[in-house]
Amino acid sequence: MEIVVCLKPVPDAETRLRPRADGSRLDPEGVKFVLAGYDESAVEQALLLREAIAGSKVHAVSFGPPRWTEEVLRAAIALGCDTATAVESAGEEAGDPIAAAEGLLGAVEGMPHDLVLLGKQAGDDEEGLVPGALAEMLGMPHFGYVVDLHWDGAAQRLRFGRSAEAGQETWESPLPCVIGLQQAWNDPRTAKLPAILKSRRAPIAKVSPPAPSPERAASVPERFALPPPRTGAKMIAYRTPEEAAQQLVRILKEEAKVFP
Amino acid sequence: MPDFSLSPEHESLRDMARKFARTEMVPHAAECDRAARFPEEIYRKAHALGLMNLNVPAEWGGSGLSLFEQCLIVEELAYACGGMTTSIIANCLALEPILLGASPEQLKRYLPSFCAEYHLASFCLTEPGGGSDAGAIRTRARKDGDEYVLDGEKCFITNAPHASLYTVFATLDPQQRHRGISAFVVPRSAKGLTPGKDEEKMGHRASSTSTVRFEGVRVPAADRLGEEGEGFSLAMRTLDMTRTPIGALATGIAQAALDHAARYALKRETFGKPIAEHQAIQIKLANMAQAVHAARLLTWYAAWTIDGGQKGTLESSIAKCFASDAALHVADEAIQTFGGYGYMKEYPVEKLLRDAKLTQIYEGANEIQRTVIARELLRGYS
Amino acid sequence: MTPNVLIVAEVDSGRLSLPTVEAAGVARSLSGPDGKIVGIAGGAGAAGAAIEFGEYGIERAYAIDDPRLDGAPAQAQTAYIAAAASAVGAHLVLLGGSTAGRDLAGRVAVAWKAAAANGVTELAWAGEALRVQRPVFGGRATEARLLRGGRAVVSLRPHAFPAAAVERTTCAVERAPAASVPPALLAPRRTGVEAVPKGTGPALSDAPIVVSGGRGVRTPENFRLIEELAASLGAAVGASRAVTDAGWRPTSLQVGQTGRSVSPQLYIAVGISGAIQHLVGMMSSRVIVAINNDATASIFRVADYGIVGDLFAIVPALTAEIHRVRGI
């Protein structure tokens, strides 16, 4: 099975978020962009499938400025992906998920792809538009919120779970298919130190994104803001547990207005 | 121009060690310290990820890192827990005599099988009667046909109760002092080799330390490292290689202490403002930061010197000595910044002080380091 | 401008789902007096659900008449939705904040050549463009974007908006404009659903109130205290990773980075210290209450109200007080 796993460089979890001077978006200055969260689960899933199905290959693809995608793709190689392809953007498109899907599309179409895996959403904007957009462009079915993906070789079907409002669903789908994975259900592996060293020397293929189609509606970042710092809890003083309970219920009713 | 920036390769190694330290070590550090628990599951994971046999070349199954790269990793691990770090890097110390003194046949026989699985090794030099005075070793090796028979006792041996391999220094003739010493590789299965019970320690409580008794332990001549009488030089060359990572370990502890203190100082208020706004605390933090930076740079410089092919005895002694003194001082000041809370076990800084203390003592006490520094220094004037 | 809005129905047991009703409310507040609001429903029970739009003052809806959609994933409706959006001259296609709605948005945006946003908490017209706001980085920041070009596809964040007020009118249901569905989208099949156990209160991600317990609860038996408090409020039960890792409660209850992200109106954290992994999953809740015996616990830094004390005394007292006040 030829598996493509699409990875978005996202700011490291320890990043101190700060708007750019014009206030329109996150200031990327000094931010370390890494492979994280849902995308780590996608890589893990790809590697598990490759281990289960003889002759499979995993191709990592990432869209973004080369400085960001390089670290993500090297991390993917260190984890065991077979090839790495960077779709180079200037970074300004980063706020537009449909543009990201268009960028990924070119790379995915240029390589064998039975199955396309992604995080169900990115760890930074948490938007989850790319899997559906990319699948629509590719004319494939797609599913987000997926856990526990298996290939049923006899039936030639993917089988997977999906967490939805009604409960835990199970689905089957033929290939080709696009899958957005839930985070960390599969305990992603950690790259081994010698593999990290080796990944530094691995080749990364470069692809240019298509020119943006002029008739498409655009999504333009306007403002990135941090919430006012929570000043800490208002502590409820009390003498007895009963008094604490009465006070809290009163506050929830009268002040916070959230009492059912 | 000298360049202090890290390459992307260095950064990825450091990041990987940092992630391991924060996700695997930090959550268990306090508990292991309290209970003096040896967290074998963490050490197994460290081994599986290639964080254990850092100095062993890749062809023998290790990670094959330069000393500088080892230092980047050790600092990150020690930031999470000094004791666990000591146990994780003890293999580097125990295997270094093999890397320096073993024949090609011995390298092949010992290393690949040892490195492939989770195994611990112990470096057996120190004895109850003498630590820094390594020439005064009393553990005897008697030649008996194609074998040597070892008798004696080693003490303060890291990982000894859990090790499967021991590099042992013993003398064929105590009269000859340094020149009488030879080095041997002894498996745990050797009859007459008995690790003692875990010592109850002040710090590094996630690490395990005990005596090792040798009672008529028979070692084939094929397991002697180098020639007879080369043991002392092997031990000293080993310590030249492993002293610098102790500087990195101490730097990691110091950095943790500084981070705790600075964060606390911004949060804790007295006289209506955060204590970080009081000059007394600012001066403290500034001095701590200087010590941490200097410790790191001296460590990097020593590693860079040795990676460049020089012996680096002076540089590594300066790094180890300075960084360990800095760690104790910075941990002490971190406790002072926390005030009464710092003295409480519920807060993380008193552990740092207890862990830092050992770095002044082991792998050559700082008194010996200063003797060495003075000797190397004065050589340039005579 | 008189904005026209197409609302995509999600049908739950033959009725419009709660996220769809929330979307209906937003559509009514967004569309001016002259703007058209049209619903669209597909799959099993589509016609009945389309009529239900009338309950919320929406006078017109499409029902997709295509039996192939019964049991097919919602994405098979993409082409119909795009065709309907064009037919009504929509400026906005609005989706509920459900799993299906979020999954559909990207597809519909591509099919209809629109800009899109998921998980939106505020939206307003800015001339021809739609300004949307949404939390990002687990609630650590918000972003505002302009969706330009006169075509926007938006899914809402669950519970960020009140359900539409009931205002009964008659909804004229017409057959949705024809569209061609790629056979590939009809191939996937749902093979089962393991329903959320009934009688355990609302589903975690849906609930307007969540009560979560952490390590401070100490034993699996004690977790009953959390469940009783939740029941008194009609709340969903959540748990910290410590609880699910220890196997006291199933992982499906875990709130946090590796579990579910929730953003209820009220979140009550009991015996939870507030590790960042947990905070990320609940920080965007509107009101947060923390009960913990450690006054320095991080949870108090993100909470709005805190009680320092023994949860084994406080929680039963609180449950009793809520019973008394609610008269149950």
Side-chain angles (χ1 to χ4, degrees):
Chain A
M1 188 183 293
E2 301 286 345
I3 305 161
V4 177
V5 52
C6 300
L7 308 169
K8 178 177 182 183
V10 296
D12 181 78
E14 286 175 26
T15 301
R16 305 193 74 156
L17 302 177
R18 193 182 49 185
R20 207 168 71 171
D22 69 0
S24 70
R25 64 189 76 193
L26 174 73
D27 185 355
E29 190 56 40
V31 174
K32 199 173 163 61
F33 285 84
V34 297
L35 170 68
Y38 305 95
D39 288 356
E40 279 185 309
S41 293
V43 171
E44 179 65 22
Q45 179 64 75
L47 297 172
L48 289 173
L49 283 170
R50 187 184 63 184
E51 285 157 14
I53 308 162
S56 298
K57 283 237 159 28
V58 177
H59 309 282
V61 180
S62 185
F63 172 80
R67 186 170 66 81
W68 305 358
T69 55
E70 172 164 357
E71 288 314 304
V72 168
L73 290 169
R74 296 221 180 274
I77 289 177
L79 287 166
C81 293
D82 297 289
T83 71
T85 304
V87 187
E88 297 190 356
S89 82
E92 292 297 303
E93 312 90 315
D96 190 341
I98 308 295
E102 276 175 353
L104 292 168
L105 175 71
V108 173
E109 280 185 324
M111 57 180 71
H113 55 279
D114 300 311
L115 174 63
V116 180
L117 299 178
L118 311 88
K120 73 152 199 217
Q121 62 190 39
D124 51 358
D125 64 28
E126 302 172 342
E127 185 138 38
L129 286 167
V130 174
L134 180 60
E136 183 70 17
M137 293 171 189
L138 287 164
M140 294 182 189
H142 92 282
F143 293 90
Y145 299 86
V146 167
V147 297
D148 207 13
L149 180 69
H150 296 282
W151 173 243
D152 180 343
Q156 292 288 296
R157 288 282 186 283
L158 285 172
R159 297 191 187 284
F160 50 89
R162 187 164 185 263
S163 35
E165 286 72 14
Q168 194 68 23
E169 302 176 346
T170 50
W171 284 79
E172 61 168 46
S173 174
L175 293 177
C177 185
V178 176
I179 296 283
L181 285 138
Q182 190 68 274
Q183 183 175 9
W185 61 275
N186 55 10
D187 196 11
R189 65 195 70 187
T190 307
K192 293 180 180 171
L193 200 146
I196 290 174
L197 289 174
K198 222 172 130 198
S199 74
R200 301 304 322 181
R201 297 184 291 276
I204 292 178
K206 312 251 185 262
V207 174
S208 299
S213 43
E215 83 270 28
R216 193 173 53 71
S219 169
V220 185
E222 203 183 32
R223 210 169 93 81
F224 182 88
L226 304 178
R230 287 201 186 237
T231 48
K234 179 171 162 185
M235 290 301 182
I236 293 172
Y238 62 96
R239 279 159 300 190
T240 63
E242 289 69 29
E243 192 189 341
Q246 283 161 18
Q247 291 237 38
L248 179 60
V249 169
R250 186 186 52 75
I251 286 169
L252 293 181
K253 275 177 84 127
E254 293 166 17
E255 193 175 302
K257 301 193 194 309
V258 286
F259 196 78
Chain B
M1 275 291 282
D3 185 352
F4 294 97
S5 65
L6 298 182
S7 70
E9 184 162 338
H10 291 143
E11 281 190 19
S12 56
L13 286 176
R14 187 197 56 194
D15 292 350
M16 181 258 190
R18 180 172 296 175
K19 193 168 171 195
F20 180 83
R22 310 273 162 105
T23 59
E24 303 290 342
M25 294 167 68
V26 166
H28 302 282
E31 171 247 319
C32 289
D33 176 62
R34 215 174 301 123
R37 184 171 79 81
F38 184 80
E40 193 186 292
E41 74 284 1
I42 294 175
Y43 304 147
R44 283 185 180 275
K45 276 186 202 160
H47 171 268
L49 293 176
L51 287 169
M52 202 159 248
N53 304 310
L54 298 174
N55 57 342
V56 178
E59 58 175 316
W60 302 119
S63 298
L65 297 190
S66 69
L67 202 54
F68 183 79
E69 291 163 340
Q70 292 177 44
C71 286
L72 291 176
I73 288 175
V74 169
E75 183 187 329
E76 290 303 327
L77 301 183
Y79 185 95
C81 180
M84 290 183 200
T85 308
T86 288
S87 269
I88 290 171
I89 66 171
N91 277 9
C92 297
L93 172 64
L95 299 178
E96 189 67 33
I98 297 178
L99 296 173
L100 291 171
S103 67
E105 180 274 327
Q106 285 177 315
L107 286 169
K108 206 166 157 185
R109 187 150 51 87
Y110 300 132
L111 292 177
S113 59
F114 180 89
C115 293
E117 304 286 327
Y118 167 76
H119 284 300
L120 299 178
S122 288
F123 179 78
C124 302
L125 177 66
T126 302
E127 300 191 352
S132 298
D133 183 7
I137 276 176
R138 296 226 191 109
T139 297
R140 287 296 299 267
R142 282 183 296 106
K143 189 86 193 257
D144 182 15
D146 252 2
E147 292 180 324
Y148 294 87
V149 182
L150 305 188
D151 282 287
E153 188 176 27
K154 299 289 180 179
C155 67
F156 308 142
I157 306 302
T158 299
N159 288 353
H162 307 272
S164 52
L165 198 73
Y166 302 78
T167 42
V168 184
F169 296 84
T171 178
L172 283 155
D173 178 5
Q175 300 301 320
Q176 287 197 48
R177 296 218 8 119
H178 307 101
R179 283 181 301 280
I181 298 170
S182 296
F184 303 92
V185 176
V186 187
R188 174 74 177 84
S189 56
K191 206 165 161 240
L193 183 156
T194 325
K197 71 167 185 41
D198 256 327
E199 304 284 358
E200 182 73 29
K201 299 190 297 298
M202 170 187 181
H204 287 241
R205 290 166 60 81
S207 179
S208 171
T209 308
S210 79
T211 57
V212 183
R213 281 198 67 76
F214 298 88
E215 292 169 307
V217 175
R218 304 192 78 84
V219 180
D223 289 333
R224 188 192 66 228
L225 293 172
E227 297 301 322
E228 281 188 4
E230 279 187 7
F232 184 79
S233 136
L234 211 47
M236 293 306 114
R237 283 159 61 207
T238 292
L239 293 174
D240 274 346
M241 288 303 288
T242 57
R243 202 178 287 126
T244 312
I246 300 303
L249 193 151
T251 305
I253 294 174
Q255 181 72 58
L258 173 60
D259 285 358
H260 282 303
R263 284 196 202 110
Y264 184 80
L266 285 169
K267 254 186 358 200
R268 162 79 172 166
E269 291 188 8
T270 61
F271 305 103
K273 57 185 179 183
I275 60 171
E277 290 177 24
H278 296 306
Q279 205 174 38
I281 299 297
Q282 290 176 351
I283 290 170
K284 216 182 269 303
L285 293 173
N287 288 341
M288 291 159 79
Q290 291 175 51
V292 172
H293 276 250
R296 179 175 298 118
L297 288 175
L298 286 171
T299 300
W300 285 10
Y301 178 64
W304 177 80
T305 302
I306 295 170
D307 282 338
Q310 300 182 56
K311 207 162 153 228
T313 305
L314 174 71
E315 292 79 2
S316 61
S317 293
I318 289 176
K320 190 271 183 187
C321 193
F322 184 90
S324 55
D325 287 349
L328 194 80
H329 170 69
V330 174
D332 188 20
E333 289 290 71
I335 294 176
Q336 194 66 24
T337 307
F338 273 68
Y341 292 109
Y343 199 67
M344 299 298 132
K345 294 226 170 202
E346 198 185 332
Y347 289 79
V349 282
E350 61 83 32
K351 172 182 184 288
L352 299 174
L353 183 88
R354 290 184 286 108
D355 286 350
K357 185 63 209 173
L358 185 60
T359 63
Q360 292 183 312
I361 298 172
Y362 71 173
E363 294 220 27
N366 282 6
E367 289 69 22
I368 280 289
Q369 304 300 344
R370 288 190 165 86
T371 304
V372 171
I373 292 166
R375 189 188 69 208
E376 297 284 319
L377 178 78
L378 292 172
R379 206 177 267 168
Y381 293 91
S382 60
Chain C
M1 183 176 132
T2 53
N4 301 326
V5 183
L6 181 71
I7 307 170
V8 179
E10 184 190 29
V11 184
D12 177 11
S13 314
R15 311 256 317 160
L16 294 180
S17 72
L18 178 60
T20 307
V21 179
E22 289 170 358
V26 170
R28 281 175 52 191
S29 65
L30 265 185
S31 165
D34 303 323
K36 280 186 283 190
I37 304 176
V38 180
I40 181 168
I51 291 171
E52 199 188 335
F53 274 114
E55 301 271 313
Y56 306 101
I58 294 167
E59 293 167 348
R60 196 179 149 204
Y62 290 122
I64 303 171
D65 182 17
D66 185 342
R68 295 175 304 169
L69 298 187
D70 297 3
Q75 58 192 287
Q77 300 171 24
T78 302
Y80 284 107
I81 296 168
S86 295
V88 299
H91 300 87
L92 169 66
V93 172
L94 203 54
L95 298 141
S98 62
T99 309
R102 287 177 60 93
D103 264 3
L104 258 176
R107 285 204 95 103
V108 173
V110 169
W112 188 45
K113 294 189 169 55
N118 256 344
V120 165
T121 51
E122 284 176 37
L123 63 176
W125 297 107
E128 285 280 303
L130 184 68
R131 176 175 291 123
V132 295
Q133 186 168 311
R134 46 193 303 283
V136 292
F137 289 98
R140 285 160 67 207
T142 55
E143 67 164 16
R145 290 210 312 256
L146 273 186
L147 306 184
R148 284 197 182 139
R151 290 182 168 197
V153 178
V154 166
S155 82
L156 304 172
R157 190 174 174 94
H159 313 307
F161 302 90
V166 173
E167 186 189 312
R168 287 198 178 81
T169 180
T170 308
C171 183
V173 176
E174 353 172 347
R175 199 173 154 154
S180 131
V181 180
L185 300 192
L186 297 166
R189 283 283 159 225
R190 193 166 78 175
T191 51
V193 194
E194 194 183 310
V196 178
K198 292 285 173 207
T200 54
L204 191 52
S205 53
D206 251 358
I209 304 178
V210 173
V211 180
S212 282
R215 195 193 301 276
V217 175
R218 289 201 212 131
T219 68
E221 293 73 37
N222 292 341
F223 208 79
R224 179 180 49 80
L225 294 174
I226 305 298
E227 286 154 353
E228 287 167 1
L229 175 57
S232 73
L233 288 163
V237 175
S240 74
R241 185 160 128 183
V243 167
T244 55
D245 272 3
W248 299 351
R249 287 299 179 272
T251 46
S252 57
L253 297 192
Q254 188 191 325
V255 173
Q257 191 155 37
T258 52
R260 279 186 179 275
S261 286
V262 298
S263 49
Q265 294 292 308
L266 172 61
Y267 188 90
I268 303 181
V270 182
I272 290 175
S273 63
I276 186 69
Q277 114 85 28
H278 185 78
L279 299 185
V280 164
M282 45 67 81
M283 233 158 40
S284 53
S285 306
R286 193 163 85 74
V287 176
I288 298 170
V289 173
I291 301 172
N292 203 297
N293 61 1
D294 174 6
T296 67
S298 320
I299 191 78
F300 288 122
R301 289 212 294 275
V302 303
D304 298 287
Y305 303 103
I307 298 178
V308 177
D310 177 11
L311 73 90
F312 297 103
I314 305 280
V315 172
L318 185 57
T319 306
E321 175 67 8
I322 292 165
H323 279 154
R324 193 184 67 75
V325 172
R326 298 188 76 196
I328 47 177

